[in-house]
């Protein structure tokens, strides 16, 4: 018996596009499902070791009360001995590694349950990731397995965790005035964050509202509201200080409601994909051992990894992968349709998209991007998220018929 999609690849020469999600998901419930799996025990042992290393670093211990006021007791959370508040899970020092660990758990289970990279990568056209998911895409493209895979996961989790620390340290914790907080809780039933999804609206119209807003509130131009992620023709993420994002929401609330423009805050405590969040402080992270210890180059990648940046560069052409990943996530505007451009190429011959999460947002975004195109009915998209999603992808079938799943 072999995994279903490997059987389809062998018997019918099916080709795959692999994608990973990014921030904005409440990772803990997904991770608790993964923690139930016996085949992920060694994976979580490595996860706990990496987090333990990070929170016991001398520099982080000195500032633990600021950046980890309730610690990072992930094992207690997974075994439900402690229950963190959702607000705590949104802090960059927690949510950034938390989301990545979740998708890496899906990936590790995928490889351990029969998708041997030595064979499966020959059927993979290319890989990408949405925001922080680009790091997981790199891990996939390295083609590692067994101890080598666990070793690179260990180093990447340290990378993720320390990157989150540097972002939060650079950006700080910013207060939301009581008046605007009360308005947001009353109108949107949620606390404002420095990133928000705005959809059902055109790019130019949203830009016009932002420009008009800045002209009215001149002081906000010091750290302006920006369109930092372009997830589709009418799906965008705007970034700024949470208080300013909320004020923008209030300013155009009636117009947005009247025109059915959708609005959702992303639960993360600092804005990504804009240079002015970290500015030159990104070089502090470049010089940290967490970044320097990842000595991966583009030549190490066995399949193309497509960036989400405007040039949609193949990371096989990048010399310092670790620094590039930090720059892309922290500084560069994200264009999802450019990250998945191979799906639209006539000669790419991609049959399946496999999405490793976390969450199903990128699955939805890719489906929307393909809607109405010639490839819509030619490409199947499958999410590995949750019990049902992962079990479907790793189910075993007869190698001759690709049926009779266990």
């Amino acid at each position: 018996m072999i995994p279903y999609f490997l059987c389809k690849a062998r018997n019918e020469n099916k080709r795959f596009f692999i994608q990973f999600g990014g921030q904005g998901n409440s990772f803990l419930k997904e991770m608790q499902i993964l923690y139930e799996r016996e085949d992920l025990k060694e994976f979580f042992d490595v996860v706990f070791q990496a987090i333990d290393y990070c929170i016991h670093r001398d520099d982080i211990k000195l500032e633990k009360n600021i950046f980890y006021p309730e610690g990072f007791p992930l094992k207690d959370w997974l075994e439900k001995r402690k229950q963190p508040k959702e607000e705590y899970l949104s802090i960059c020092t927690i949510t950034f590694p938390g989301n990545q660990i979740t998708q890496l758990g899906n990936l590790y289970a995928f490889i351990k349950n029969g998708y041997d990279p030595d064979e499966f990568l020959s059927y993979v056209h290319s890989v990408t990731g949405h925001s922080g998911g680009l790091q997981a895409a790199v891990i996939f493209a390295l083609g590692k397995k067994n101890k080598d895979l666990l070793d690179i996961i260990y180093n990447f989790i340290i990378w993720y965790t320390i990157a989150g620390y540097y972002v939060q340290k650079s950006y700080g914790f910013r207060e939301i005035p009581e008046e605007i907080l009360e308005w947001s809780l009353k109108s949107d039933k949620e606390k404002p964050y420095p990133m928000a999804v705005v959809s059902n609206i055109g790019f130019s119209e949203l830009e016009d509202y932002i420009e008009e807003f800045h002209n009215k509130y001149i002081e906000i131009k010091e750290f302006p509201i920006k369109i930092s992620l372009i997830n589709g023709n009418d799906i965008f993420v705007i970034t700024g200080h949470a208080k300013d994002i909320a004020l923008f929401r209030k300013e155009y609330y009636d117009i947005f409601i009247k025109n059915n423009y959708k609005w959702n805050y992303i639960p993360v405590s600092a804005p990504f994909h804009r240079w002015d969040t970290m500015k030159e402080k990104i070089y502090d992270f470049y010089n940290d051992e967490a970044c320097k210890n990842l000595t991966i180059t583009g030549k190490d990648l066995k399949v193309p990894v497509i960036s989400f940046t405007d040039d949609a560069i193949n990371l096989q052409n990048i010399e310092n992968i670790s620094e590039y990943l930090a720059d892309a996530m922290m500084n560069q505007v994200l264009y999802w349709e450019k990250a998945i451009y191979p799906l639209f190429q006539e000669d790419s011959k991609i049959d399946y998209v496999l999405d490793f999460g976390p969450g199903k947002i990128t699955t939805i975004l890719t489906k929307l991007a393909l809607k109405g195109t010639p490839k819509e009915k030619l490409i199947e998209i499958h999410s590995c998220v949750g019990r049902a999603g992962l079990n479907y992808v790793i189910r075993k079938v007869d190698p001759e018929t690709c049926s009779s799943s266990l």
Side-chain angles (χ1 to χ4, degrees):
M1 306 296 279
I2 63 171
Y4 172 73
F5 287 110
L6 180 57
C7 186
K8 297 290 283 185
R10 281 183 184 178
N11 295 2
E12 303 174 27
N13 196 32
K14 296 295 186 181
R15 301 275 286 169
F16 297 82
F17 183 83
I18 307 298
Q19 63 184 41
F20 295 84
Q23 300 303 120
N25 299 284
S26 182
F27 65 85
L28 189 56
K29 290 181 180 179
E30 278 185 45
M31 200 190 295
Q32 285 172 334
I33 291 172
L34 292 172
Y35 190 66
E36 297 170 359
R37 299 185 62 95
E38 288 294 324
D39 55 356
L40 291 182
K41 184 181 183 305
E42 63 268 34
F43 168 79
F44 278 105
D45 286 344
V46 166
V47 168
F48 299 144
Q49 290 168 17
I51 291 174
D52 187 67
Y53 166 81
C54 291
I55 62 175
H56 285 95
R57 281 187 13 164
D58 289 341
D59 55 340
I60 291 179
K61 281 197 297 184
L62 287 173
E63 300 182 295
K64 183 174 179 292
N65 290 339
I66 300 173
F67 298 103
Y68 296 93
E70 297 176 28
F72 198 167
L74 184 59
K75 190 171 185 178
D76 287 341
W77 295 345
L78 293 175
E79 295 180 355
K80 301 180 181 179
R81 290 192 294 270
K82 293 182 179 179
Q83 179 62 43
K85 294 179 180 178
E86 285 295 320
E87 182 69 17
Y88 191 69
L89 295 177
S90 72
I91 300 174
C92 283
T93 50
I94 304 294
T95 189
F96 189 45
N99 275 276
Q100 313 308 323
I101 290 165
T102 304
Q103 65 188 187
L104 290 178
N106 285 327
L107 174 59
Y108 189 81
F110 179 83
I111 293 171
K112 187 168 182 181
N113 281 276
Y115 288 97
D116 191 313
D118 292 340
E119 180 179 7
F120 186 70
L121 282 181
S122 64
Y123 301 105
V124 173
H125 179 279
S126 47
V127 193
T128 195
H130 188 280
S131 190
L134 197 60
Q135 283 79 261
V138 165
I139 294 179
F140 180 91
L142 290 170
K144 304 286 188 182
K145 58 183 179 180
N146 303 325
K147 185 179 183 301
D148 290 338
L149 176 59
L150 289 172
D151 287 345
I152 198 68
I153 285 174
Y154 175 82
N155 285 331
F156 257 100
I157 291 173
I158 291 173
W159 189 101
Y160 296 138
T161 307
I162 302 304
Y165 165 72
Y166 272 100
V167 171
Q168 198 66 68
K169 186 174 182 179
S170 299
Y171 182 71
F173 294 95
R174 298 175 181 271
E175 293 294 323
I176 302 171
E178 191 65 30
E179 179 184 348
I180 195 70
L181 177 60
E182 288 180 3
W183 181 89
S184 294
L185 293 173
K186 180 180 178 181
S187 301
D188 286 323
K189 305 297 188 292
E190 57 181 332
K191 175 187 171 182
Y193 288 95
M195 301 182 75
V197 180
V198 187
S199 56
N200 286 2
I201 187 173
F203 182 86
S204 296
E205 185 177 2
L206 180 57
E207 258 195 335
D208 289 344
Y209 287 133
I210 291 171
E211 183 179 1
E212 182 181 75
F213 180 75
H214 286 151
N215 290 334
K216 182 174 181 179
Y217 298 95
I218 302 297
E219 69 281 2
I220 289 174
K221 287 187 176 181
E222 293 181 9
F223 193 83
I225 292 174
K226 293 183 179 181
I227 302 174
S228 294
L229 295 89
I230 301 171
N231 286 327
N233 292 330
D234 62 353
I235 308 172
F236 311 101
V237 175
I238 61 172
T239 60
H241 295 322
K243 66 178 181 62
D244 298 335
I245 295 285
L247 184 59
F248 176 81
R249 170 63 166 165
K250 184 179 181 182
E251 186 77 14
Y252 296 101
Y253 183 83
D254 291 339
I255 293 174
F256 277 36
I257 295 298
K258 179 181 177 181
N259 290 287
N260 196 31
Y261 299 154
K262 303 299 182 183
W263 178 281
N264 297 100
Y265 286 107
I266 298 175
V268 65
S269 58
F272 287 83
H273 298 288
R274 51 184 299 157
W275 175 82
D276 45 357
T277 294
M278 287 193 74
K279 296 184 179 179
E280 67 281 352
K281 291 183 180 179
I282 193 173
Y283 295 105
D284 293 341
F285 176 63
Y286 288 170
N287 291 320
D288 194 287
E289 290 301 313
C291 187
K292 290 165 64 175
N293 283 345
L294 280 176
T295 56
I296 301 166
T297 72
K299 295 178 181 178
D300 297 318
L301 305 178
K302 295 182 179 179
V303 292
V305 177
I306 311 301
S307 177
F308 50 69
T309 51
D310 192 26
D311 55 5
I313 194 170
N314 176 1
L315 268 62
Q316 289 177 314
N317 299 317
I318 297 295
E319 182 63 29
N320 190 321
I321 294 290
S322 184
E323 289 186 3
Y324 179 86
L325 292 172
D327 177 68
M329 176 189 67
M330 298 172 191
N331 295 340
Q332 303 298 321
V333 174
L334 182 150
Y335 300 83
W336 184 239
E337 290 193 9
K338 295 193 176 186
I340 60 173
Y341 81 84
L343 301 181
F344 306 105
Q345 294 179 313
E346 288 186 17
D347 59 350
S348 62
K349 298 180 180 178
I350 294 170
D351 302 286
Y352 298 107
V353 173
L354 299 183
D355 189 313
F356 286 87
K360 297 184 179 180
I361 293 173
T362 41
T363 299
I364 294 169
L365 293 178
T366 299
K367 286 181 178 179
L368 289 173
L370 288 172
K371 191 172 182 179
T373 72
K375 292 296 187 80
E376 180 182 9
K377 295 182 180 179
L378 300 177
I379 298 176
E380 291 185 23
I381 304 176
H382 296 274
S383 170
C384 301
V385 172
R387 291 186 189 88
L390 184 58
N391 287 337
Y392 180 83
V393 170
I394 65 176
R395 73 192 192 280
K396 299 298 197 300
V397 296
D398 184 284
E400 300 298 325
T401 63
C402 295
S403 62
S404 304
S405 59
L406 292 177

